[in-house]
């Protein structure tokens, strides 16, 4: 996240989890938010979502409300360093 925007970014991430992610199927059992402190960049904020199968993950993605996500993204973009978001699937 951009310098000075970490707290705002974390708050927006929690908002996304509660208002967009939860209705699509994430919960405290399969989702966590991480932030860098020791050994990683301090500006790094990560969301980990765990599903047992790729099909479950794809179903989650399909259940995300596109309009709500787009509106949230327009607010989050003010906190993000351009070209920094990445997806990693294990």
């Amino acid at each position: 996240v951009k310098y000075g925007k970490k707290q705002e970014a974390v708050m927006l991430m929690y908002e996304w989890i509660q208002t967009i992610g939860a209705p699509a199927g994430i919960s405290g059992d399969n989702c966590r938010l991480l932030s860098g402190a020791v050994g990683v960049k301090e500006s790094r904020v990560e969301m980990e979502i765990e599903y047992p199968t790729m099909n479950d993950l794809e179903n989650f993605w399909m259940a995300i409300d596109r309009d709500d996500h787009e509106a949230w993204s327009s607010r989050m973009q003010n906190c993000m360093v351009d070209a920094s978001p990445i997806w990693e699937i294990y």
Side-chain angles (χ1 to χ4, degrees), residues 30-89:
N30 69 343
C31 178
R32 68 182 182 162
L33 197 58
L34 306 165
S35 180
V38 177
V40 296
K41 295 178 181 177
E42 184 178 332
S43 62
R44 188 171 194 163
V45 177
E46 293 184 8
M47 181 189 307
E48 289 185 354
I49 303 171
E50 186 174 328
Y51 280 102
T53 69
M54 213 38 205
N55 189 50
D56 292 332
L57 177 60
E58 289 174 355
N59 288 336
F60 163 69
W61 282 336
M62 296 304 295
I64 293 172
D65 184 287
R66 301 296 178 229
D67 293 333
D68 289 346
H69 180 73
E70 185 176 336
W72 174 86
S73 295
S74 68
R75 291 185 294 131
M76 184 64 168
Q77 74 181 357
N78 296 324
C79 298
M80 302 299 296
V81 174
D82 291 341
S84 66
I86 59 170
W87 290 81
E88 296 177 336
I89 300 173

